[in-house]
Amino acid sequence: MNNPSQQTPPAPPPRVSLVGAGPGAPDLITVRGLKRLREAEIVIYDSLAGEELLAECASGAELIFAGKRSGAHGARQEEINALLVEKARTGRRVVRLKGGDPFIFGRGGEEVLALAAAGIACEIIPGVTAAIAAGAAAQIPLTHRALASGVLFLTGHESLKPGDAAARVHWECAAALPGITLCIYMGVKNLPVIAGRLLAGGMPAETPLAVISNATLPGETMLYASVGEAASGKINEAVETPALVLVGSVVPGGPARHHPRF
Ligand code: SAH
């Protein structure tokens, strides 16, 4: 018989949490993420993980900075993995605080695997990823009943040389998907090449594109252009990073009659 008074209490949360900090504004972390942050004894954080949030940590918490913005190369990531495992082994409550969502271009997958290889369980607390925040900031719905039936999250940071093993994003294929909003992370530097490849894949040059910089942060800006203009190389020089590029009919400039600006 299930007597509630005899039930075992719920298991305590794991001692290691990968927490999505959200896109920048400190109040866009989840309630659960904030709770873990306040309880943490060790916090390993990235620069995109809203440093204001660190004010929420307990006064005795050990705060460890683990990355510059565009830095996380292979060796550096291995060092972070090793640090995470080392700190987790202390048995203290560890939060790995990452910008946006830990599993969207956040290398959270690698950190979970490193912990698992060391026999350490962890939990993942999702965060508002930059594409969602950028859409909200610019009042661009990433899906729309009449204009976009899906969304692609893509990195613009991989090699762009066709045939290169590290060049996995097939931009020409992405161009050929009507009614799909493209959300391009880390795409500012390579934007002219990316836009050129979208055109090569048959995307009309007048397809609207928005670059949202510092979404939810002070200094938030939106820049609107067409894919043709982006291919010319003038757009990316004008924007600050971090920035998210949105491409498709939901972006104002195209048939985006739903947009409050129209
Ligand atoms: N895990 C993060 C993404 C890390 S990759 C997430 O889920 O959001 C870093 C890229 O995210 C940046 O190059 C930029 O393209 C995007 N980004 C992060 N914060 C942003 C912000 N506040 N505004 C616009 N783009 C942002």
Side-chain angles (χ1 to χ4, degrees):
M1 289 291 275
N2 247 354
N3 179 348
S5 64
Q6 290 178 352
Q7 276 176 0
T8 46
R15 310 288 288 181
V16 183
S17 308
L18 264 66
V19 176
D27 55 349
L28 282 175
I29 191 172
T30 64
V31 173
R32 191 184 297 178
L34 184 59
K35 185 168 183 285
R36 294 290 187 276
L37 193 60
R38 287 176 172 157
E39 291 164 353
E41 292 162 286
I42 302 172
V43 178
I44 305 173
Y45 67 97
D46 286 344
S47 55
L48 277 179
E51 288 193 30
E52 278 177 66
L53 271 175
L54 300 176
E56 299 287 344
C57 299
S59 55
E62 183 185 358
L63 307 183
I64 306 170
F65 177 62
K68 47 183 191 305
R69 227 171 62 190
S70 57
H73 297 300
R76 181 92 188 107
Q77 184 61 43
E78 276 165 28
E79 284 169 32
I80 295 171
N81 295 349
L83 177 71
L84 195 54
V85 168
E86 179 199 318
K87 294 297 179 185
R89 282 192 171 133
T90 65
R92 290 191 281 162
R93 279 187 291 259
V94 178
V95 159
R96 171 74 175 111
L97 186 66
K98 302 174 77 70
D101 180 86
F103 278 176
I104 300 291
F105 304 124
R107 307 195 72 163
E110 289 157 73
E111 295 177 10
V112 172
L113 284 179
L115 287 165
I120 300 162
C122 69
E123 66 172 348
I124 315 299
I125 301 185
V128 176
T129 191
I132 306 293
Q139 300 199 3
I140 297 172
L142 302 188
T143 70
H144 184 281
R145 213 172 134 75
L147 298 168
S149 307
V151 180
L152 278 183
F153 290 169
L154 299 160
T155 170
H157 190 60
E158 285 181 350
S159 163
L160 291 166
K161 286 190 214 104
D164 192 330
R168 276 171 307 181
V169 180
H170 199 308
W171 294 99
E172 293 79 5
C173 276
L177 297 169
I180 300 289
T181 305
L182 308 185
C183 306
I184 308 170
Y185 290 70
M186 300 170 279
V188 171
K189 188 160 152 264
N190 290 330
L191 189 56
V193 184
I194 291 169
R197 286 187 55 184
L198 292 173
L199 296 177
M203 184 177 275
E206 62 276 14
T207 305
L209 169 151
V211 186
I212 296 104
S213 299
N214 294 310
T216 80
L217 290 166
E220 175 182 278
T221 56
M222 288 92 184
L223 186 146
Y224 297 92
S226 66
V227 173
E229 286 166 325
S232 76
K234 289 186 189 131
I235 305 301
N236 55 328
E237 287 164 13
V239 299
E240 272 184 37
T241 57
L244 205 289
V245 181
L246 299 177
V247 182
S249 314
V250 290
V251 176
R257 289 276 169 253
H258 66 280
H259 196 273
R261 285 196 188 85
F262 285 82

